[in-house]
Amino acid sequence: LDCILTEIYVSPSFRGRGLAREFLQHAQATARAAGAAAMSLAVRPNNTSARQLYATQGFEDTERIVLSKSLS
């Protein structure tokens, strides 16, 4: 069982307080408790602060490509 985290967004006025880190840790614990063996997420290449956070939590770049399509 794998888990895909689709989005973490923290309002600019609340950034820098560790909320995203806390949420990410909670999401990982919840996924682990549900039996997930891995967690994947997508991040824009220019979002350096998010990429740094994910790296501190053990996430690594992979060879996967995320595809998306607007339905509107």
Side-chain angles (χ1 to χ4, degrees), residues 1-3 27-39:
L1 177 64
D2 288 349
C3 173
Q28 291 176 87
T30 301
R32 195 176 295 112
M39 178 179 278

Side-chain angles (χ1 to χ4, degrees), residues 23-61:
F23 175 80
L24 185 56
Q25 290 172 343
H26 180 74
Q28 291 176 87
T30 301
R32 195 176 295 112
M39 178 179 278
S40 300
L41 54 82
V43 61
R44 295 184 198 283
N46 64 346
N47 192 342
T48 55
S49 60
R51 292 180 70 178
Q52 289 172 347
L53 168 63
Y54 301 146
T56 67
Q57 296 296 302
F59 288 85
E60 300 173 335
D61 288 341

